[in-house]
Amino acid sequence: MSDYFGLSQRDVGAGVAAGGSALLAAVLFLLWNVVQGSSPLRSPVLLLAMTITPVVALTVATTVWRVVMPDEPKPVYGALAGAFAAAVSISVLAALVGLLAVITESSAGTLGGLVSEFRSFVAFFVVYGGFVTLPVVVPIGAAVGYVYERYAARRLD
């Protein structure tokens, strides 16, 4: 199937590395909330968001590596691509969580009400993601991208 999409082993590997780091971040986020006394497990939207986070990160990072990265591994480009993939993953995740929140917790009965609720949910998640998660996730994405590309460059030597 990867031949059909034109994906290389390096593209998929970058996606797997990003998905693994996103899974670790989601578990740490869950543990942090439990330690703070609140349980995100009570909200089906947050639980589902934490579940799809690694899938979104895997998909976005694989796409970024497929489209943006040159054929020759370069750690600096990997850091930039990793940071970009992390930021895009947060945006995609915000839109998906907003959509899930509207579908599962909507009180609006009209299409206009649903669109308004979707905008408010997405705006909340974008602001929350921008101020809270983005400063943590982007450096992690950059580090993962750098290390992954450095490993890929060593493997070719």
PDB file of all heavy atoms in Angstrom, residues 42-77:
ATOM      1  N   ARG A  42     -13.832  11.470  32.375  1.00  0.00           N
ATOM      2  CA  ARG A  42     -15.263  11.742  32.515  1.00  0.00           C
ATOM      3  C   ARG A  42     -15.844  12.350  31.250  1.00  0.00           C
ATOM      4  O   ARG A  42     -17.036  12.278  31.029  1.00  0.00           O
ATOM      5  CB  ARG A  42     -15.502  12.687  33.685  1.00  0.00           C
ATOM      6  CG  ARG A  42     -15.190  12.071  35.005  1.00  0.00           C
ATOM      7  CD  ARG A  42     -15.500  13.017  36.127  1.00  0.00           C
ATOM      8  NE  ARG A  42     -14.949  12.479  37.375  1.00  0.00           N
ATOM      9  CZ  ARG A  42     -14.766  13.183  38.450  1.00  0.00           C
ATOM     10  NH1 ARG A  42     -15.079  14.457  38.470  1.00  0.00           N
ATOM     11  NH2 ARG A  42     -14.256  12.624  39.531  1.00  0.00           N
ATOM     12  N   SER A  43     -15.025  12.978  30.449  1.00  0.00           N
ATOM     13  CA  SER A  43     -15.491  13.617  29.223  1.00  0.00           C
ATOM     14  C   SER A  43     -15.185  12.717  28.028  1.00  0.00           C
ATOM     15  O   SER A  43     -14.025  12.451  27.735  1.00  0.00           O
ATOM     16  CB  SER A  43     -14.801  14.964  29.031  1.00  0.00           C
ATOM     17  OG  SER A  43     -15.082  15.469  27.749  1.00  0.00           O
ATOM     18  N   PRO A  44     -16.221  12.266  27.339  1.00  0.00           N
ATOM     19  CA  PRO A  44     -15.955  11.408  26.176  1.00  0.00           C
ATOM     20  C   PRO A  44     -15.211  12.141  25.070  1.00  0.00           C
ATOM     21  O   PRO A  44     -14.447  11.538  24.335  1.00  0.00           O
ATOM     22  CB  PRO A  44     -17.347  10.977  25.715  1.00  0.00           C
ATOM     23  CG  PRO A  44     -18.300  11.914  26.345  1.00  0.00           C
ATOM     24  CD  PRO A  44     -17.645  12.461  27.569  1.00  0.00           C
ATOM     25  N   VAL A  45     -15.397  13.457  24.952  1.00  0.00           N
ATOM     26  CA  VAL A  45     -14.716  14.220  23.912  1.00  0.00           C
ATOM     27  C   VAL A  45     -13.217  14.257  24.192  1.00  0.00           C
ATOM     28  O   VAL A  45     -12.400  14.019  23.304  1.00  0.00           O
ATOM     29  CB  VAL A  45     -15.300  15.642  23.799  1.00  0.00           C
ATOM     30  CG1 VAL A  45     -14.470  16.491  22.863  1.00  0.00           C
ATOM     31  CG2 VAL A  45     -16.739  15.578  23.324  1.00  0.00           C
ATOM     32  N   LEU A  46     -12.826  14.546  25.429  1.00  0.00           N
ATOM     33  CA  LEU A  46     -11.405  14.584  25.759  1.00  0.00           C
ATOM     34  C   LEU A  46     -10.755  13.204  25.656  1.00  0.00           C
ATOM     35  O   LEU A  46      -9.626  13.075  25.194  1.00  0.00           O
ATOM     36  CB  LEU A  46     -11.191  15.154  27.156  1.00  0.00           C
ATOM     37  CG  LEU A  46     -11.374  16.659  27.279  1.00  0.00           C
ATOM     38  CD1 LEU A  46     -11.218  17.103  28.722  1.00  0.00           C
ATOM     39  CD2 LEU A  46     -10.402  17.393  26.397  1.00  0.00           C
ATOM     40  N   LEU A  47     -11.479  12.193  26.082  1.00  0.00           N
ATOM     41  CA  LEU A  47     -10.944  10.836  25.977  1.00  0.00           C
ATOM     42  C   LEU A  47     -10.738  10.447  24.516  1.00  0.00           C
ATOM     43  O   LEU A  47      -9.699   9.898  24.147  1.00  0.00           O
ATOM     44  CB  LEU A  47     -11.877   9.839  26.665  1.00  0.00           C
ATOM     45  CG  LEU A  47     -11.386   8.401  26.707  1.00  0.00           C
ATOM     46  CD1 LEU A  47     -10.077   8.301  27.467  1.00  0.00           C
ATOM     47  CD2 LEU A  47     -12.442   7.507  27.321  1.00  0.00           C
ATOM     48  N   LEU A  48     -11.700  10.780  23.678  1.00  0.00           N
ATOM     49  CA  LEU A  48     -11.563  10.477  22.255  1.00  0.00           C
ATOM     50  C   LEU A  48     -10.444  11.307  21.626  1.00  0.00           C
ATOM     51  O   LEU A  48      -9.688  10.810  20.795  1.00  0.00           O
ATOM     52  CB  LEU A  48     -12.886  10.729  21.535  1.00  0.00           C
ATOM     53  CG  LEU A  48     -12.982  10.208  20.114  1.00  0.00           C
ATOM     54  CD1 LEU A  48     -12.654   8.716  20.053  1.00  0.00           C
ATOM     55  CD2 LEU A  48     -14.349  10.460  19.552  1.00  0.00           C
ATOM     56  N   ALA A  49     -10.319  12.565  22.050  1.00  0.00           N
ATOM     57  CA  ALA A  49      -9.239  13.415  21.541  1.00  0.00           C
ATOM     58  C   ALA A  49      -7.879  12.828  21.881  1.00  0.00           C
ATOM     59  O   ALA A  49      -6.970  12.816  21.046  1.00  0.00           O
ATOM     60  CB  ALA A  49      -9.362  14.820  22.112  1.00  0.00           C
ATOM     61  N   MET A  50      -7.730  12.344  23.104  1.00  0.00           N
ATOM     62  CA  MET A  50      -6.454  11.752  23.498  1.00  0.00           C
ATOM     63  C   MET A  50      -6.200  10.454  22.751  1.00  0.00           C
ATOM     64  O   MET A  50      -5.056  10.081  22.515  1.00  0.00           O
ATOM     65  CB  MET A  50      -6.418  11.541  25.003  1.00  0.00           C
ATOM     66  CG  MET A  50      -6.337  12.858  25.740  1.00  0.00           C
ATOM     67  SD  MET A  50      -6.504  12.760  27.523  1.00  0.00           S
ATOM     68  CE  MET A  50      -5.507  11.405  27.953  1.00  0.00           C
ATOM     69  N   THR A  51      -7.254   9.778  22.354  1.00  0.00           N
ATOM     70  CA  THR A  51      -7.109   8.532  21.608  1.00  0.00           C
ATOM     71  C   THR A  51      -6.693   8.787  20.168  1.00  0.00           C
ATOM     72  O   THR A  51      -5.867   8.049  19.618  1.00  0.00           O
ATOM     73  CB  THR A  51      -8.438   7.741  21.637  1.00  0.00           C
ATOM     74  OG1 THR A  51      -8.827   7.544  22.988  1.00  0.00           O
ATOM     75  CG2 THR A  51      -8.294   6.408  20.959  1.00  0.00           C
ATOM     76  N   ILE A  52      -7.235   9.830  19.547  1.00  0.00           N
ATOM     77  CA  ILE A  52      -6.908  10.076  18.139  1.00  0.00           C
ATOM     78  C   ILE A  52      -5.650  10.918  17.956  1.00  0.00           C
ATOM     79  O   ILE A  52      -5.162  11.053  16.837  1.00  0.00           O
ATOM     80  CB  ILE A  52      -8.095  10.718  17.381  1.00  0.00           C
ATOM     81  CG1 ILE A  52      -8.425  12.099  17.935  1.00  0.00           C
ATOM     82  CG2 ILE A  52      -9.288   9.804  17.375  1.00  0.00           C
ATOM     83  CD1 ILE A  52      -9.446  12.851  17.108  1.00  0.00           C
ATOM     84  N   THR A  53      -5.105  11.471  19.033  1.00  0.00           N
ATOM     85  CA  THR A  53      -3.903  12.298  18.931  1.00  0.00           C
ATOM     86  C   THR A  53      -2.755  11.583  18.222  1.00  0.00           C
ATOM     87  O   THR A  53      -2.154  12.151  17.303  1.00  0.00           O
ATOM     88  CB  THR A  53      -3.473  12.797  20.322  1.00  0.00           C
ATOM     89  OG1 THR A  53      -4.498  13.633  20.849  1.00  0.00           O
ATOM     90  CG2 THR A  53      -2.182  13.554  20.278  1.00  0.00           C
ATOM     91  N   PRO A  54      -2.401  10.347  18.590  1.00  0.00           N
ATOM     92  CA  PRO A  54      -1.297   9.679  17.886  1.00  0.00           C
ATOM     93  C   PRO A  54      -1.592   9.426  16.404  1.00  0.00           C
ATOM     94  O   PRO A  54      -0.687   9.519  15.571  1.00  0.00           O
ATOM     95  CB  PRO A  54      -1.121   8.359  18.636  1.00  0.00           C
ATOM     96  CG  PRO A  54      -1.775   8.553  19.942  1.00  0.00           C
ATOM     97  CD  PRO A  54      -2.862   9.550  19.733  1.00  0.00           C
ATOM     98  N   VAL A  55      -2.835   9.144  16.080  1.00  0.00           N
ATOM     99  CA  VAL A  55      -3.199   8.888  14.680  1.00  0.00           C
ATOM    100  C   VAL A  55      -3.056  10.170  13.857  1.00  0.00           C
ATOM    101  O   VAL A  55      -2.539  10.146  12.733  1.00  0.00           O
ATOM    102  CB  VAL A  55      -4.636   8.320  14.584  1.00  0.00           C
ATOM    103  CG1 VAL A  55      -5.055   8.131  13.145  1.00  0.00           C
ATOM    104  CG2 VAL A  55      -4.741   7.020  15.360  1.00  0.00           C
ATOM    105  N   VAL A  56      -3.503  11.288  14.427  1.00  0.00           N
ATOM    106  CA  VAL A  56      -3.375  12.572  13.730  1.00  0.00           C
ATOM    107  C   VAL A  56      -1.895  12.912  13.541  1.00  0.00           C
ATOM    108  O   VAL A  56      -1.470  13.310  12.456  1.00  0.00           O
ATOM    109  CB  VAL A  56      -4.113  13.687  14.506  1.00  0.00           C
ATOM    110  CG1 VAL A  56      -3.765  15.058  13.970  1.00  0.00           C
ATOM    111  CG2 VAL A  56      -5.609  13.460  14.453  1.00  0.00           C
ATOM    112  N   ALA A  57      -1.098  12.756  14.594  1.00  0.00           N
ATOM    113  CA  ALA A  57       0.333  13.063  14.505  1.00  0.00           C
ATOM    114  C   ALA A  57       1.024  12.165  13.479  1.00  0.00           C
ATOM    115  O   ALA A  57       1.851  12.638  12.695  1.00  0.00           O
ATOM    116  CB  ALA A  57       0.996  12.913  15.872  1.00  0.00           C
ATOM    117  N   LEU A  58       0.690  10.889  13.462  1.00  0.00           N
ATOM    118  CA  LEU A  58       1.273   9.957  12.494  1.00  0.00           C
ATOM    119  C   LEU A  58       0.927  10.378  11.071  1.00  0.00           C
ATOM    120  O   LEU A  58       1.800  10.448  10.201  1.00  0.00           O
ATOM    121  CB  LEU A  58       0.763   8.536  12.768  1.00  0.00           C
ATOM    122  CG  LEU A  58       1.331   7.447  11.872  1.00  0.00           C
ATOM    123  CD1 LEU A  58       1.585   6.189  12.687  1.00  0.00           C
ATOM    124  CD2 LEU A  58       0.411   7.126  10.723  1.00  0.00           C
ATOM    125  N   THR A  59      -0.320  10.700  10.835  1.00  0.00           N
ATOM    126  CA  THR A  59      -0.767  11.077   9.493  1.00  0.00           C
ATOM    127  C   THR A  59      -0.135  12.385   9.042  1.00  0.00           C
ATOM    128  O   THR A  59       0.366  12.486   7.911  1.00  0.00           O
ATOM    129  CB  THR A  59      -2.303  11.201   9.473  1.00  0.00           C
ATOM    130  OG1 THR A  59      -2.872   9.979   9.944  1.00  0.00           O
ATOM    131  CG2 THR A  59      -2.813  11.499   8.084  1.00  0.00           C
ATOM    132  N   VAL A  60      -0.150  13.389   9.910  1.00  0.00           N
ATOM    133  CA  VAL A  60       0.399  14.699   9.538  1.00  0.00           C
ATOM    134  C   VAL A  60       1.908  14.605   9.312  1.00  0.00           C
ATOM    135  O   VAL A  60       2.426  15.123   8.316  1.00  0.00           O
ATOM    136  CB  VAL A  60       0.051  15.757  10.597  1.00  0.00           C
ATOM    137  CG1 VAL A  60       0.823  17.043  10.374  1.00  0.00           C
ATOM    138  CG2 VAL A  60      -1.447  16.038  10.592  1.00  0.00           C
ATOM    139  N   ALA A  61       2.637  13.957  10.218  1.00  0.00           N
ATOM    140  CA  ALA A  61       4.098  13.866  10.068  1.00  0.00           C
ATOM    141  C   ALA A  61       4.485  13.069   8.817  1.00  0.00           C
ATOM    142  O   ALA A  61       5.415  13.455   8.110  1.00  0.00           O
ATOM    143  CB  ALA A  61       4.725  13.254  11.314  1.00  0.00           C
ATOM    144  N   THR A  62       3.779  11.996   8.541  1.00  0.00           N
ATOM    145  CA  THR A  62       4.061  11.219   7.330  1.00  0.00           C
ATOM    146  C   THR A  62       3.837  12.084   6.085  1.00  0.00           C
ATOM    147  O   THR A  62       4.652  12.068   5.157  1.00  0.00           O
ATOM    148  CB  THR A  62       3.183   9.956   7.267  1.00  0.00           C
ATOM    149  OG1 THR A  62       3.438   9.160   8.425  1.00  0.00           O
ATOM    150  CG2 THR A  62       3.451   9.142   6.023  1.00  0.00           C
ATOM    151  N   THR A  63       2.765  12.849   6.088  1.00  0.00           N
ATOM    152  CA  THR A  63       2.475  13.732   4.959  1.00  0.00           C
ATOM    153  C   THR A  63       3.535  14.826   4.823  1.00  0.00           C
ATOM    154  O   THR A  63       3.999  15.110   3.711  1.00  0.00           O
ATOM    155  CB  THR A  63       1.081  14.366   5.125  1.00  0.00           C
ATOM    156  OG1 THR A  63       0.113  13.326   5.257  1.00  0.00           O
ATOM    157  CG2 THR A  63       0.730  15.244   3.945  1.00  0.00           C
ATOM    158  N   VAL A  64       3.932  15.419   5.938  1.00  0.00           N
ATOM    159  CA  VAL A  64       4.953  16.468   5.896  1.00  0.00           C
ATOM    160  C   VAL A  64       6.262  15.897   5.362  1.00  0.00           C
ATOM    161  O   VAL A  64       6.905  16.512   4.506  1.00  0.00           O
ATOM    162  CB  VAL A  64       5.146  17.107   7.287  1.00  0.00           C
ATOM    163  CG1 VAL A  64       6.411  17.948   7.360  1.00  0.00           C
ATOM    164  CG2 VAL A  64       3.940  17.957   7.641  1.00  0.00           C
ATOM    165  N   TRP A  65       6.661  14.731   5.840  1.00  0.00           N
ATOM    166  CA  TRP A  65       7.920  14.126   5.361  1.00  0.00           C
ATOM    167  C   TRP A  65       7.815  13.767   3.884  1.00  0.00           C
ATOM    168  O   TRP A  65       8.778  13.892   3.154  1.00  0.00           O
ATOM    169  CB  TRP A  65       8.284  12.909   6.204  1.00  0.00           C
ATOM    170  CG  TRP A  65       9.463  13.161   7.086  1.00  0.00           C
ATOM    171  CD1 TRP A  65      10.745  12.732   6.876  1.00  0.00           C
ATOM    172  CD2 TRP A  65       9.487  13.908   8.302  1.00  0.00           C
ATOM    173  NE1 TRP A  65      11.550  13.179   7.895  1.00  0.00           N
ATOM    174  CE2 TRP A  65      10.808  13.895   8.789  1.00  0.00           C
ATOM    175  CE3 TRP A  65       8.524  14.590   9.031  1.00  0.00           C
ATOM    176  CZ2 TRP A  65      11.189  14.523   9.951  1.00  0.00           C
ATOM    177  CZ3 TRP A  65       8.891  15.218  10.201  1.00  0.00           C
ATOM    178  CH2 TRP A  65      10.220  15.183  10.653  1.00  0.00           C
ATOM    179  N   ARG A  66       6.652  13.342   3.443  1.00  0.00           N
ATOM    180  CA  ARG A  66       6.471  12.963   2.034  1.00  0.00           C
ATOM    181  C   ARG A  66       6.536  14.185   1.134  1.00  0.00           C
ATOM    182  O   ARG A  66       7.133  14.162   0.069  1.00  0.00           O
ATOM    183  CB  ARG A  66       5.120  12.252   1.861  1.00  0.00           C
ATOM    184  CG  ARG A  66       4.721  11.995   0.432  1.00  0.00           C
ATOM    185  CD  ARG A  66       5.587  10.901  -0.184  1.00  0.00           C
ATOM    186  NE  ARG A  66       5.183  10.658  -1.543  1.00  0.00           N
ATOM    187  CZ  ARG A  66       5.876  11.053  -2.604  1.00  0.00           C
ATOM    188  NH1 ARG A  66       6.994  11.699  -2.470  1.00  0.00           N
ATOM    189  NH2 ARG A  66       5.443  10.781  -3.810  1.00  0.00           N
ATOM    190  N   VAL A  67       5.937  15.293   1.556  1.00  0.00           N
ATOM    191  CA  VAL A  67       5.792  16.456   0.695  1.00  0.00           C
ATOM    192  C   VAL A  67       6.973  17.419   0.798  1.00  0.00           C
ATOM    193  O   VAL A  67       7.441  17.943  -0.210  1.00  0.00           O
ATOM    194  CB  VAL A  67       4.468  17.199   1.021  1.00  0.00           C
ATOM    195  CG1 VAL A  67       4.348  18.495   0.276  1.00  0.00           C
ATOM    196  CG2 VAL A  67       3.280  16.303   0.742  1.00  0.00           C
ATOM    197  N   VAL A  68       7.479  17.646   2.001  1.00  0.00           N
ATOM    198  CA  VAL A  68       8.421  18.737   2.233  1.00  0.00           C
ATOM    199  C   VAL A  68       9.882  18.302   2.246  1.00  0.00           C
ATOM    200  O   VAL A  68      10.747  19.027   1.755  1.00  0.00           O
ATOM    201  CB  VAL A  68       8.079  19.446   3.570  1.00  0.00           C
ATOM    202  CG1 VAL A  68       9.078  20.514   3.908  1.00  0.00           C
ATOM    203  CG2 VAL A  68       6.682  20.014   3.508  1.00  0.00           C
ATOM    204  N   MET A  69      10.175  17.162   2.803  1.00  0.00           N
ATOM    205  CA  MET A  69      11.567  16.787   3.051  1.00  0.00           C
ATOM    206  C   MET A  69      12.306  16.392   1.777  1.00  0.00           C
ATOM    207  O   MET A  69      11.763  15.698   0.923  1.00  0.00           O
ATOM    208  CB  MET A  69      11.630  15.629   4.052  1.00  0.00           C
ATOM    209  CG  MET A  69      11.185  16.014   5.437  1.00  0.00           C
ATOM    210  SD  MET A  69      12.177  17.303   6.177  1.00  0.00           S
ATOM    211  CE  MET A  69      13.661  16.406   6.515  1.00  0.00           C
ATOM    212  N   PRO A  70      13.571  16.823   1.668  1.00  0.00           N
ATOM    213  CA  PRO A  70      14.391  16.393   0.525  1.00  0.00           C
ATOM    214  C   PRO A  70      14.752  14.914   0.663  1.00  0.00           C
ATOM    215  O   PRO A  70      14.591  14.317   1.731  1.00  0.00           O
ATOM    216  CB  PRO A  70      15.637  17.284   0.628  1.00  0.00           C
ATOM    217  CG  PRO A  70      15.716  17.684   2.057  1.00  0.00           C
ATOM    218  CD  PRO A  70      14.301  17.718   2.565  1.00  0.00           C
ATOM    219  N   ASP A  71      15.261  14.347  -0.423  1.00  0.00           N
ATOM    220  CA  ASP A  71      15.606  12.923  -0.409  1.00  0.00           C
ATOM    221  C   ASP A  71      16.755  12.605   0.531  1.00  0.00           C
ATOM    222  O   ASP A  71      16.803  11.527   1.111  1.00  0.00           O
ATOM    223  CB  ASP A  71      15.956  12.450  -1.822  1.00  0.00           C
ATOM    224  CG  ASP A  71      14.740  12.422  -2.727  1.00  0.00           C
ATOM    225  OD1 ASP A  71      13.616  12.331  -2.191  1.00  0.00           O
ATOM    226  OD2 ASP A  71      14.911  12.494  -3.949  1.00  0.00           O
ATOM    227  N   GLU A  72      17.673  13.526   0.671  1.00  0.00           N
ATOM    228  CA  GLU A  72      18.825  13.307   1.546  1.00  0.00           C
ATOM    229  C   GLU A  72      18.498  13.760   2.970  1.00  0.00           C
ATOM    230  O   GLU A  72      18.026  14.881   3.172  1.00  0.00           O
ATOM    231  CB  GLU A  72      20.012  14.106   1.011  1.00  0.00           C
ATOM    232  CG  GLU A  72      21.312  13.791   1.712  1.00  0.00           C
ATOM    233  CD  GLU A  72      22.459  14.528   1.048  1.00  0.00           C
ATOM    234  OE1 GLU A  72      22.561  14.465  -0.192  1.00  0.00           O
ATOM    235  OE2 GLU A  72      23.223  15.165   1.774  1.00  0.00           O
ATOM    236  N   PRO A  73      18.713  12.914   3.974  1.00  0.00           N
ATOM    237  CA  PRO A  73      18.387  13.287   5.353  1.00  0.00           C
ATOM    238  C   PRO A  73      19.235  14.461   5.860  1.00  0.00           C
ATOM    239  O   PRO A  73      20.449  14.465   5.700  1.00  0.00           O
ATOM    240  CB  PRO A  73      18.698  12.029   6.161  1.00  0.00           C
ATOM    241  CG  PRO A  73      18.769  10.923   5.181  1.00  0.00           C
ATOM    242  CD  PRO A  73      19.186  11.538   3.884  1.00  0.00           C
ATOM    243  N   LYS A  74      18.573  15.440   6.439  1.00  0.00           N
ATOM    244  CA  LYS A  74      19.249  16.606   7.026  1.00  0.00           C
ATOM    245  C   LYS A  74      18.591  16.894   8.369  1.00  0.00           C
ATOM    246  O   LYS A  74      17.401  17.225   8.418  1.00  0.00           O
ATOM    247  CB  LYS A  74      19.138  17.816   6.117  1.00  0.00           C
ATOM    248  CG  LYS A  74      19.861  17.608   4.819  1.00  0.00           C
ATOM    249  CD  LYS A  74      19.907  18.872   4.015  1.00  0.00           C
ATOM    250  CE  LYS A  74      20.480  18.497   2.696  1.00  0.00           C
ATOM    251  NZ  LYS A  74      21.296  19.210   2.012  1.00  0.00           N
ATOM    252  N   PRO A  75      19.350  16.775   9.469  1.00  0.00           N
ATOM    253  CA  PRO A  75      18.768  16.965  10.799  1.00  0.00           C
ATOM    254  C   PRO A  75      18.121  18.329  11.013  1.00  0.00           C
ATOM    255  O   PRO A  75      17.077  18.412  11.657  1.00  0.00           O
ATOM    256  CB  PRO A  75      19.953  16.759  11.737  1.00  0.00           C
ATOM    257  CG  PRO A  75      20.884  15.872  10.988  1.00  0.00           C
ATOM    258  CD  PRO A  75      20.731  16.279   9.555  1.00  0.00           C
ATOM    259  N   VAL A  76      18.700  19.390  10.453  1.00  0.00           N
ATOM    260  CA  VAL A  76      18.107  20.722  10.645  1.00  0.00           C
ATOM    261  C   VAL A  76      16.741  20.800   9.971  1.00  0.00           C
ATOM    262  O   VAL A  76      15.784  21.332  10.542  1.00  0.00           O
ATOM    263  CB  VAL A  76      19.055  21.817  10.118  1.00  0.00           C
ATOM    264  CG1 VAL A  76      18.394  23.181  10.168  1.00  0.00           C
ATOM    265  CG2 VAL A  76      20.346  21.825  10.899  1.00  0.00           C
ATOM    266  N   TYR A  77      16.624  20.258   8.768  1.00  0.00           N
ATOM    267  CA  TYR A  77      15.329  20.218   8.093  1.00  0.00           C
ATOM    268  C   TYR A  77      14.349  19.339   8.869  1.00  0.00           C
ATOM    269  O   TYR A  77      13.152  19.609   8.894  1.00  0.00           O
ATOM    270  CB  TYR A  77      15.468  19.698   6.669  1.00  0.00           C
ATOM    271  CG  TYR A  77      16.168  20.636   5.718  1.00  0.00           C
ATOM    272  CD1 TYR A  77      16.654  20.167   4.513  1.00  0.00           C
ATOM    273  CD2 TYR A  77      16.348  21.979   6.010  1.00  0.00           C
ATOM    274  CE1 TYR A  77      17.304  21.014   3.621  1.00  0.00           C
ATOM    275  CE2 TYR A  77      16.994  22.832   5.134  1.00  0.00           C
ATOM    276  CZ  TYR A  77      17.462  22.344   3.950  1.00  0.00           C
ATOM    277  OH  TYR A  77      18.099  23.180   3.074  1.00  0.00           O
TER     278      TYR A  77
END
